[in-house]
Amino acid sequence: MNQAISVARGVQTPLLGRLFDTIKEDRRLVVMDFGTGSSALLNSLQPHRARLDVMAISTQLDVWSGLETKEERARALADYLARFKLEPSDWVLCW
């Protein structure tokens, strides 16, 4: 699939479009999105066997910014992610 087709499917980021071009039909893809998710991303994943985990970490930034040490912030992030039943990810999206 070429970039023009990827863009037509709603992928407006060239690098992400290139990643979509590499998906093999028989492969299941696991995507972790640290953003808030989007309908364009969902539409782009629709033709594939995919699992999308949306973390929406921006909702936690006020809490984490009040922590004093790097260790406290790392633990808070780990605690937040532990709430989800995650699988090993093929892609991690950080918008």
Side-chain angles (χ1 to χ4, degrees), residues 7-63:
V7 171
R9 288 189 313 171
V11 179
Q12 298 177 7
T13 307
L15 181 58
L16 185 57
R18 280 193 251 152
L19 282 173
F20 274 103
D21 293 344
T22 65
I23 299 173
K24 303 214 181 327
E25 287 186 31
D26 61 340
R27 183 168 182 237
R28 180 175 178 267
L29 182 68
V30 179
V31 180
M32 181 186 302
D33 184 353
F34 283 130
T36 57
S38 73
S39 58
L41 180 59
L42 286 173
N43 288 336
S44 296
L45 288 171
Q46 183 180 7
H48 306 286
R49 292 180 44 223
R51 171 185 169 141
L52 175 63
D53 292 313
V54 178
M55 303 289 116
I57 63 170
S58 63
T59 62
Q60 299 297 306
L61 293 179
D62 286 340
V63 174

Side-chain angles (χ1 to χ4, degrees), residues 68-76:
E68 294 185 19
T69 67
K70 181 170 67 172
E71 290 78 18
E72 288 175 318
R73 289 188 293 276
R75 184 70 200 150

